Amino acid sequence: MAFGVEQAKRWMSIANDHIQQQKQYLTELDQAIGDGDHGLNMARGFQEVVEKIASANYEDLGSLFKDISMTLIAKVGGASGPLYGTAFLRMSLALAGKKEADDKELIAALEAALDGIKARGKANVGEKTMVDVWEPVMEFLREKESLQVKEAALLAKEKMEHTKELEAKKGRAAYLGKRSVGHIDPGSASSHLLFAALAEALEG
Amino acid sequence: MKYVSLVLISHSEEIVNGLKKLLNQVQPDVSIAVAGGNDGEIGTNAFRIKEAVESVYSEKGVVILFDIGSALMNAELAMEMLEKTDHIAIADAPLVEGAYIAAVEAGLGKSLDEVVRACEQAKQMVKVVRSEVE
C-alpha cells in the first residue's frame, strides 16, 4: 500500500477530527489521574498541525513530518508536546527524501517513532503510558511485515483499555500510585486515536 | 562571560520571572534567562528553552534548572536542537533552592561542574530542623 504525502495529510486530518471530538473525554481521563490538560493540549496541537500542513506543498514525507513535529513541540505545553513531537521528528528522519513509503519503510518509521517516545519519556511497557499501546502495536506490525492497520488499530484499543489495570510509574499519575489503577491512561487513549486514524486514512 | 549563566524553566511564567528577580537581588552579576509557560498558558516549550540558553551562552557554561513534569523532557529536547552542548548542563535540583545556590556559586566565579554539584546538594538541604523530643 502506498503511503505518500496525501495519505499522511489525510492521517493527520482524521486524527485531528477524532481528537477534537474526544477532547472532553481525553481531558476527563487526565483529570482523573493527571493535570487535566491532555484534551486541550492535543486539540490545540493537532488543529495547528492540520492548518499548517493543509496548504503547504511537500517534496517528501520527511519535510511533512518535520513540520508536524515542530508544530507539536511549539504548541503543546504538556508532556504530549515533546513526546509526540519527538515521535514525528524520528519519523521525519526515517522518511527523509522519500516521496512514498512502502509497508516496510512506514513500519520502520513508526518503529523509530516508538524509540523516540521511549527515549524522551524514559518509559517502558507496564508503566501506564502511551508505550503500553505503541510497543505491542509495533511488535504486531513488525511480525506481520505488512501494514495491517485495521488489526493494529483494534490491538491499540485493546491495549489502551488494558492500561486501566496498570499502576502508573511515570508522569503526574505516578504520584497517585495504586490509586491510578482503574483509570485509562490519557496518553494511551490519544495514541489509540492516532492508530485508528491511520487505519481510516489508509483503508477508508 | 566571566560567570556561569543560569536558565530557569517553569510551567509558569510568573514563577521564573519572580525567581529571576529574587536572584538578581542576591547576585546581580550572573546572567539569568527564563523560559516560563507556553504562549501565555501553563506549560513549557522546547523552542523557548533553546532561545533562553542561547541568550546567555558562553564557554564559561550554562546551568539549566527546571520545575516539574514535562519541563525536563522539553529541556532535553532543547539540548538536542542546540548546535553545541559542551558547556551546558541540566541540574537535578529543586528549582528555587537550587537556583539560589547556583546564583551564589556562579557569582563566586566557580566552574560549571562546581556550580552544578553545589546546586544539586540542595536536594539534601535540611529546611526545618525538628527537635527529637516531640
Side-chain angles (χ1 to χ4, degrees):
Chain A
M1 148 185 351
F3 181 86
V5 167
E6 192 192 320
Q7 285 75 21
K9 280 188 176 183
R10 199 187 316 152
W11 177 23
M12 288 300 112
S13 165
I14 295 170
N16 182 47
D17 290 345
H18 282 308
I19 288 162
Q20 301 302 331
Q21 279 160 19
Q22 306 281 322
K23 183 168 137 182
Q24 189 56 32
Y25 172 66
L26 292 174
T27 291
E28 280 163 18
L29 292 180
D30 201 26
Q31 276 167 346
I33 56 170
D35 51 7
D37 64 357
H38 194 55
L40 200 69
N41 276 334
M42 291 296 285
R44 183 176 53 203
F46 276 82
Q47 187 61 41
E48 292 273 351
V49 163
V50 167
E51 280 166 26
K52 168 104 188 163
I53 65 175
S55 53
N57 287 315
Y58 295 97
E59 287 292 312
D60 71 323
L61 286 164
S63 53
L64 169 62
F65 280 106
K66 177 112 193 262
D67 260 6
I68 295 168
S69 158
M70 293 298 133
T71 306
L72 292 174
I73 291 169
K75 296 294 170 188
V76 183
S80 44
L83 287 169
Y84 285 124
T86 301
F88 287 115
L89 188 61
R90 297 289 176 94
M91 283 190 81
S92 91
L93 296 173
L95 298 169
K98 290 190 170 71
K99 283 192 187 305
E100 273 189 352
D102 60 22
D103 283 18
K104 220 177 134 195
E105 288 166 331
L106 185 57
I107 291 170
L110 288 166
E111 194 96 58
L114 166 61
D115 288 343
I117 290 170
K118 288 169 79 174
R120 181 70 58 224
K122 300 176 180 76
N124 285 301
V125 162
E127 297 182 319
K128 201 181 183 93
T129 72
M130 57 176 76
V131 173
D132 290 307
V133 164
W134 278 81
E135 181 94 51
V137 167
M138 291 319 300
E139 232 165 70
F140 168 80
L141 290 174
R142 196 187 310 140
E143 211 170 276
K144 296 291 171 199
E145 291 183 317
S146 79
L147 272 174
Q148 300 187 17
V149 280
K150 273 195 178 142
E151 293 79 359
L154 284 174
L155 182 62
K157 185 163 196 286
E158 184 191 316
K159 292 298 172 183
M160 164 194 82
E161 276 157 7
H162 176 66
T163 65
K164 217 180 215 183
E165 291 155 41
L166 301 172
E167 182 181 331
K169 300 285 182 198
K170 286 283 182 304
R172 211 72 59 90
Y175 296 129
L176 293 175
K178 287 205 180 341
R179 281 174 291 155
S180 65
V181 175
H183 301 277
I184 289 173
D185 170 62
S188 77
S190 56
S191 292
H192 160 248
L193 293 181
L194 283 182
F195 283 111
L198 181 63
E200 284 173 53
L202 290 177
E203 295 201 337
Chain B
M1 253 178 256
K2 210 169 143 194
Y3 305 110
V4 169
S5 310
L6 271 58
V7 169
L8 313 174
I9 307 169
S10 170
H11 280 62
S12 154
E13 207 173 338
E14 286 88 349
I15 285 180
V16 275
N17 284 340
L19 182 55
K20 182 182 171 177
K21 209 170 160 185
L22 171 75
L23 301 179
N24 280 339
Q25 203 172 54
V26 177
Q27 179 42 270
D29 299 331
V30 171
S31 298
I32 299 171
V34 299
N38 186 39
D39 279 347
E41 311 233 356
I42 295 292
T44 57
N45 180 320
F47 293 112
R48 283 191 61 178
I49 296 168
K50 176 176 177 271
E51 285 165 18
V53 171
E54 285 166 343
S55 74
V56 293
Y57 181 83
S58 82
E59 290 203 348
K60 182 74 185 177
V62 179
V63 52
I64 299 174
L65 293 117
F66 62 94
D67 61 357
I68 48 173
S70 53
L72 175 60
M73 280 196 261
N74 270 324
E76 288 174 343
L77 190 52
M79 289 282 269
E80 285 171 26
M81 291 176 185
L82 286 158
E83 273 167 33
K84 40 182 183 176
T85 53
D86 298 358
H87 308 285
I88 305 169
I90 299 176
D92 181 7
L95 179 60
V96 176
E97 284 83 354
Y100 194 97
I101 295 171
V104 170
E105 294 293 316
L108 294 171
K110 299 284 180 70
S111 71
L112 178 62
D113 280 352
E114 288 169 324
V115 174
V116 170
R117 227 175 302 135
C119 72
E120 290 189 343
Q121 293 293 320
K123 279 197 294 189
Q124 273 85 44
M125 209 165 74
V126 176
K127 292 178 76 175
V128 179
V129 183
R130 303 211 187 277
S131 75
E132 281 174 26
V133 227
E134 268 193 52

